[in-house]
Amino acid sequence: AQKITQTQPGMFVQEKEAVTLDCTYDTSDQSYGLFWYKQPSSGEMIFLIYQGSYDEQNATEGRYSLNFQKARKSANLVISASQLGDSAMYFCAMREGGPYNQGGKLIFGQGTELSVKP
Amino acid sequence: NAGVTQTPKFQVLKTGQSMTLQCAQDMNHNSMYWYRQDPGMGLRLIYYSASEGTTDKGEVPNGYNVSRLNKREFSLRLESAAPSQTSVYFCAASYQPQHFGDGTRLSIL
């Protein structure tokens, strides 16, 4: 069965420094997608970045990058130049099947709470 | 939040009461989803609808029913609310990526 594991319940980082949030996954599918979402204290879920299992390059979106190591089944989120507004809960999620999979169901990890210190 | 609207935002119920959580999207996506979020557990899928007229169970469907009224609307119903259903409920649309509503905070006393 598919599973997402986030082993860091909480992380601290100094403003302007980079931070890596860990995510490992387990699936028997060859085709899958990996997502990161941010949930600030206000509660909404904000999509950050996506990596497909067949994508050869690591995904990047502005200050966010995804360090995808397929053999290790890890999909770590790297936030560069942390800002105070980055303080939030971060969730890693996985969807089995390709981009046109009709189900599209996501399995979420338990989340990592990131606190950025001034 | 862009495109997915949930109502109500907050609700308090007594055990045994029923209620329906409403969700509407204006993005013309086929797929819609209902999740619940409990402290320390991330989001878990309750039900989903891959297209208008179809619904399927997710990871935690017990105690819930859903209706895909049309392409825009996907409702979640609690027939007889229980304290274990106290949670934050999120509706989402599309699947790559999924766009979430702002959530409904539901407390059952």
Side-chain angles (χ1 to χ4, degrees), chain B residues 8-73:
Chain B
K9 295 191 183 304
F10 302 93
Q11 185 70 48
V12 179
L13 294 177
K14 294 182 179 178
T15 298
Q17 287 185 318
S18 62
M19 86 159 291
T20 299
L21 279 61
Q22 307 287 353
C23 176
Q25 54 114 351
D26 60 6
M27 299 180 291
N28 201 38
H29 288 303
N30 287 322
S31 303
M32 296 186 74
Y33 310 83
W34 275 105
Y35 294 89
R36 61 178 286 174
Q37 183 179 24
D38 301 309
M41 296 190 72
L43 278 74
R44 293 182 293 168
L45 183 65
I46 305 171
Y47 271 93
Y48 69 102
S49 171
S51 61
E52 185 179 352
T54 68
T55 60
D56 282 289
K57 295 178 180 179
E59 182 184 356
V60 288
N62 292 342
Y64 305 95
N65 287 303
V66 290
S67 295
R68 184 74 183 268
L69 304 171
N70 47 56
K71 194 170 186 179
R72 289 189 64 247
E73 298 172 289

Side-chain angles (χ1 to χ4, degrees), chain A:
Chain A
Q2 57 177 318
K3 185 179 179 181
I4 292 281
T5 303
Q6 293 180 253
T7 57
Q8 306 153 314
M11 291 276 288
F12 288 93
V13 64
Q14 204 69 35
E15 192 178 9
K16 300 181 184 178
E17 291 186 349
V19 63
T20 298
L21 306 184
D22 294 340
C23 173
T24 58
Y25 61 92
D26 189 20
T27 179
S28 56
D29 247 24
Q30 295 302 310
S31 180
Y32 50 88
L34 296 157
F35 303 78
W36 278 92
Y37 283 85
K38 172 184 179 181
Q39 187 178 42
S41 58
S42 50
E44 70 269 30
M45 295 290 289
I46 302 168
F47 166 72
L48 295 178
I49 196 166
Y50 165 78
Q51 179 86 39
S53 58
Y54 291 118
D55 294 342
E56 294 183 352
Q57 304 265 358
N58 284 343
T60 61
E61 289 286 349
R63 293 186 300 110
Y64 304 108
S65 60
L66 200 152
N67 184 0
F68 181 47
Q69 298 188 40
K70 196 170 182 177
R72 293 186 176 184
K73 293 190 174 179
S74 73
N76 299 338
L77 177 70
V78 180
I79 306 175
S80 63
S82 296
Q83 302 172 355
L84 296 178
D86 293 334
S87 293
M89 185 73 82
Y90 289 81
F91 291 97
C92 180
M94 177 173 66
R95 183 208 66 236
E96 282 188 334
Y100 303 105
N101 173 37
Q102 283 298 301
K105 299 174 289 183
L106 290 181
I107 300 294
F108 283 81
Q110 293 185 327
T112 295
E113 185 168 9
L114 178 67
S115 298
V116 181
K117 294 183 174 182

